[in-house]
Amino acid sequence: QRFAQVTNPPIDSLREKIVMSLDTYLGRRRSLLEEDPEAAHLLHLKSPIMSEGELAQLREATPEGFSVATIQACFDVKDGAAGLERALDELCADAEDAVNEEGCQTLVLSDRSADEARAPIPMLLAVSTVHHHMIRFGLRMRASIVAETGDARDVHQLATLIGFGASAICPYLAFETLAGLVADGDFEDQELDEVIANYRQAADAGILKVMSKMGISAVSSYHGAQIFEVLGLGEEVLRRCFRGTRSRIGGIGFRQIAADVIERQNKAHSEEKLERG
């Protein structure tokens, strides 16, 4: 992450928490120059970190006139890098159709459908690609992006997803990992709900700390701001997925990214077969 002195000295996210905010909103944004009752037709979240229950409620119990589309962010393992690039094109096309033809106001990019034949698109790649595609076609203010992902676990991963366009994140694999640890007795005196609440509290505190280093006090200002430099990604990836983000040293392209994902995918399913055997 790049650093800047927006405030001097930078904000202290603990001592000055009264000015810090993680409140975020989902839905279509209207013009700031016009008074319109529809501008208030938004869903308010107190944190960008969503539980699985909250995401299910978003899908199943949304208010009238507020629609949600779930788009699968996966690619065919057998197609390699070509499959990854084609899947990104399809992801953008599906997002565009959901907004233009279905009038959806929230897009959930999900990698839950990954299986032995289909690998998950790295969620940061998926979110940023859709984010920039919608900007390019004048659709970005008409829908919010929610990431339902197994990729995000730590504060940096959560912060980059927000910084590159996600309004909210459901890190379901982190929650499932915690559930497994509780079942194994690693948290002797705590119930699962308490463990997950502590994880979310720690993630929120971490995001606030990252924001405060830039002198940013509200997550709405951090959202989509791309206050990062890239290490290790090549020009073809930057040009297509991370427009406007600088990389001083260059790096890998879609071929290497796809190979890395597929290797991890094959290893995971090989171990799963061994366990079943």
Side-chain angles (χ1 to χ4, degrees):
Q1 176 177 272
R2 291 183 291 178
F3 289 82
Q5 279 192 313
V6 181
T7 60
N8 187 12
I11 300 172
D12 186 319
S13 61
L14 296 177
R15 294 181 178 86
E16 299 177 272
K17 63 181 180 180
I18 192 170
V19 301
M20 305 293 292
S21 172
L22 287 175
D23 290 43
T24 188
Y25 296 85
L26 303 181
R28 180 173 180 172
R29 302 306 177 93
R30 306 285 174 168
S31 172
L32 294 174
L33 304 178
E34 300 175 3
E35 291 188 12
D36 186 350
E38 290 296 320
H41 193 62
L42 300 167
L43 289 179
H44 174 213
L45 303 177
K46 292 184 178 180
S47 164
I49 310 300
M50 298 182 72
S51 69
E52 294 181 270
E54 290 168 343
L55 183 57
Q57 187 176 15
L58 174 66
R59 287 184 170 124
E60 299 166 8
T62 51
E64 184 178 352
F66 194 99
S67 55
V68 178
T70 299
I71 304 172
Q72 297 302 325
C74 297
F75 70 99
D76 291 332
V77 171
K78 61 181 176 61
D79 294 334
L84 174 58
E85 294 190 68
R86 184 163 58 250
L88 288 172
D89 289 337
E90 292 172 356
L91 197 65
C92 292
D94 290 344
E96 190 175 339
D97 290 344
V99 174
N100 279 333
E101 298 180 12
E102 302 173 28
C104 293
Q105 297 167 323
T106 298
L107 306 175
V108 180
L109 304 186
S110 175
D111 58 22
R112 269 191 181 273
S113 65
D115 55 25
E116 192 170 358
R118 289 174 58 77
I121 299 173
M123 189 51 68
L124 182 59
L125 204 66
V127 166
S128 187
T129 302
V130 171
H131 172 69
H132 283 288
H133 178 82
M134 293 175 69
I135 290 174
R136 193 158 60 251
F137 287 90
L139 303 173
R140 189 63 186 92
M141 300 298 287
R142 291 169 58 182
S144 299
I145 297 174
V146 175
E148 182 183 23
T149 178
D151 279 352
R153 301 174 299 280
D154 62 32
V155 170
H156 177 73
Q157 292 162 340
L158 298 170
T160 52
L161 283 170
I162 297 169
F164 282 98
S167 295
I169 306 158
C170 177
Y172 67 84
L173 187 57
F175 295 144
E176 291 175 9
T177 300
L178 292 173
L181 292 173
V182 170
D184 291 340
D186 287 22
F187 297 93
E188 296 179 359
D189 301 324
Q190 294 178 295
E191 298 294 329
L192 178 58
D193 289 346
E194 184 181 358
V195 171
I196 289 179
N198 289 341
Y199 169 82
R200 294 179 68 182
Q201 183 179 7
D204 286 344
I207 293 169
L208 287 173
K209 185 175 181 180
V210 170
M211 287 165 41
S212 68
K213 291 179 181 179
M214 294 300 299
I216 294 173
S217 61
V219 77
S220 56
S221 297
Y222 195 77
H223 172 238
Q226 294 189 196
I227 310 175
F228 297 90
E229 285 190 9
V230 171
L231 296 175
L233 291 180
E235 182 61 29
E236 63 168 340
V237 179
L238 294 180
R239 187 171 57 251
R240 182 169 184 179
C241 306
F242 300 100
R243 294 190 177 202
T245 306
R246 184 170 56 176
S247 176
R248 298 175 186 268
I249 61 175
I252 63 174
F254 289 109
R255 182 174 61 82
Q256 293 91 343
I257 293 173
D260 183 56
V261 173
I262 291 170
E263 180 183 1
R264 186 167 62 245
Q265 177 86 350
N266 291 337
K267 182 179 179 182
H269 286 282
S270 296
E271 291 178 354
E272 184 179 354
K273 288 178 181 177
L274 287 173
E275 289 176 3
R276 288 177 180 174

